[in-house]
Amino acid sequence: MNWKSEISAAADRIAGHAQVTPIMESRALGLDYPVEMKLEHLQHTGSFKARGAFNTLLGVDVPQAGIVAASGGNHGAAAAFAAQTLGFPAKIFVPELAGPSKIALIEQTGADLSVVPGEYANALTEAKSFEEATGAMQIHAYDAPATVAGQGTCFAEWDAQGLTADTVLIAVGGGGLIAGALGWLQGARKVVAVEPETSCALNAALQADEPVDVTVSGIAANALGARRIGSICFELAQGMTSVLVPDAAIAQAQQILWQAHRILVEPAGATALAALISGAYQPAPDERVAVLICGGNVSPDPLNG
Amino acid sequence: MNWKSEISAAADRIAGHAQVTPIMESRALGLDYPVEMKLEHLQHTGSFKARGAFNTLLGVDVPQAGIVAASGGNHGAAAAFAAQTLGFPAKIFVPELAGPSKIALIEQTGADLSVVPGEYANALTEAKSFEEATGAMQIHAYDAPATVAGQGTCFAEWDAQGLTADTVLIAVGGGGLIAGALGWLQGARKVVAVEPETSCALNAALQADEPVDVTVSGIAANALGARRIGSICFELAQGMTSVLVPDAAIAQAQQILWQAHRILVEPAGATALAALISGAYQPAPDERVAVLICGGNVSPDPLNG
């Protein structure tokens, strides 16, 4: 797979559908170096997931039965939003731990929503059954080429906006976003994977030298709690730097983003920054760093809680 | 006063102290035209006020007694932050209606804070007494040339970032921000003043053809509730377009910014957009519009409420 050309094609495909998200550089985060940030949580439905969803739907003939997705919340909201925008029916399965604000976000799109007991993997099982029964098209949350290429457009866009960092830190769940980052940036910039200690499918896979099942828990689990890393991500991630952060550092990074810049994000959205705040990743003296702010669907909803 | 050169000098003075804030264009606000936005609520202490505070303190010899400011909250936080950053003592008077989240923001800077019963004008009276008694330097919230020039840097920065709009909508309280906007943009772009129906010192002054006292109330009063428009603003504002919006439209604009883009702002921060949402300002078919998102200090604080 030539990821750079796949991502360039995806960028052309989703232009006008995905939001071009703003960038900024901050020296107010309590660190002794500046941090470039891309505010991807301002994307439609509050996370980067809209990119992969639009790229998937715009690249194929969608069946009359529409689309189906399993999601911890953000992917489901994005798939439902993209389907609604393009005029297709959508069926979304979410695990209970998605939480009320993400469930409300999906309901607002008009999608048919089912809440499944347990974790993400259970919702995925239900989605696969629905796909077989109805002929609806599955939009995988992270382990499909069109999803990865769509998420990769975030980094093509950032490059075009003037990203200068040597190193880009990215939160990892199932690996769709970081696979897109590696597909676009690999060879040009260092990419660092950041996972919660209690939801670390990529780190465990890199240690085991193969994708393995992990248990998932913690404050970012409804966004980053994939039980097993995607195979596309695992292949691209060989040899990359992977760090883990405790939930306390994620919560602290959330507070810092809010106090310093009135950027309100969910725990997953603050996880990459937590690696700098906690020192889990320590840049070299002259190393310029960037952090992708990936998700803003905080719970409780501050205006509708 | 040559405002363009004052504002250029201010921009040089505050470079590295004020945050360069990001811009974006949205088609997701429920309007049938795109809106350019500058996310000035990501500024230090959550509003544009840090620009004027830094410009004031960096342009003079600050007395040993430090600085004093009266504020509905945002200016006090900005003045206290700038003083702390530059190493000066700060005394801040706020009216009760500033509310707990803005009061907490000021306390975090380490400033000496007094909460005054009643509205902004009462806090200003106290600040003037303190100035006379101690020799501390008054930083006016809006009606001083250094404040206006500092706020004007927001628009010089926006121009440099590629603002394309024909028309820029700006919320008005005491008039420091819009005076800075007029100082920079007048002659090049149309500037529209937006005020709440219940806090409309500029609109009342334009109708009376002189600054007059108004009563202030409503959901944006702790940021926009000046009793009388500043004289600098009034002079610059002659002949400008001024519109009023009801509180319900401000609340709706707050909801839209949050739902569409996870931008969480205080009512004042959504007031300019409310003019488009409500139709109080209706652009011509080919008129490109921009909205300054000016303040993010929402109450209750979503992470510390």
Side-chain angles (χ1 to χ4, degrees), chain A residues 19 22-25 28 39 41-42 44 105 108 254-255 258-259 261-264 296-297 301-304, chain B residues 19 22-25 28 39 41-42 44 105 108 254-255 258-259 261-262 264 296-297 301-304:
Chain A
Q19 174 71 46
I23 60 166
M24 66 187 288
E25 181 179 277
L39 308 183
H41 69 296
L42 307 187
H44 303 304
L105 188 63
Q108 282 161 25
Q254 262 186 305
Q255 283 283 349
W258 176 247
Q259 292 300 335
H261 292 303
R262 294 304 188 226
I263 293 172
L264 183 64
N297 293 322
D301 186 313
L303 292 185
N304 304 291
Chain B
Q19 174 71 47
I23 60 165
M24 67 187 288
E25 181 178 277
L39 308 183
H41 69 295
L42 307 186
H44 303 304
L105 188 65
Q108 283 160 26
Q254 264 187 303
Q255 283 283 350
W258 175 247
Q259 293 299 337
H261 292 302
R262 292 308 187 223
L264 183 64
N297 293 321
D301 185 315
L303 292 185
N304 303 290

Side-chain angles (χ1 to χ4, degrees), chain A residues 223-294:
Chain A
L224 304 182
R227 193 188 286 175
R228 182 182 278 241
I229 198 69
S231 57
I232 297 172
C233 173
F234 181 71
E235 188 178 320
L236 285 164
Q238 295 307 306
M240 81 176 303
T241 302
S242 159
V243 301
L244 302 181
V245 291
D247 274 6
I250 296 173
Q252 190 187 355
Q254 262 186 305
Q255 283 283 349
I256 288 170
L257 284 169
W258 176 247
Q259 292 300 335
H261 292 303
R262 294 304 188 226
I263 293 172
L264 183 64
V265 295
E266 64 186 287
T271 295
L273 178 61
L276 299 176
I277 301 295
S278 66
Y281 184 78
Q282 297 187 348
D286 59 348
E287 184 181 353
R288 289 184 55 85
V289 296
V291 161
L292 187 78
I293 308 294
C294 60

Side-chain angles (χ1 to χ4, degrees), chain A residues 6-92:
Chain A
E6 291 292 322
I7 291 166
S8 291
D12 290 343
R13 205 174 282 128
I14 71 175
H17 291 287
Q19 174 71 46
V20 176
T21 55
I23 60 166
M24 66 187 288
E25 181 179 277
S26 175
R27 293 177 177 268
L29 302 170
L31 300 164
D32 55 6
Y33 48 86
V35 178
E36 289 176 81
M37 300 191 286
K38 185 167 173 66
L39 308 183
E40 184 64 15
H41 69 296
L42 307 187
Q43 186 56 259
H44 303 304
T45 68
S47 85
F48 65 91
K49 298 278 193 178
R51 295 176 183 270
F54 274 115
N55 189 46
T56 303
L57 292 180
L58 290 166
V60 296
D61 287 327
V62 176
Q64 204 165 2
I67 65 111
V68 58
S71 166
N74 285 339
H75 171 62
F81 178 85
Q84 177 202 41
T85 302
L86 301 173
F88 304 119
K91 171 77 190 183
I92 312 293

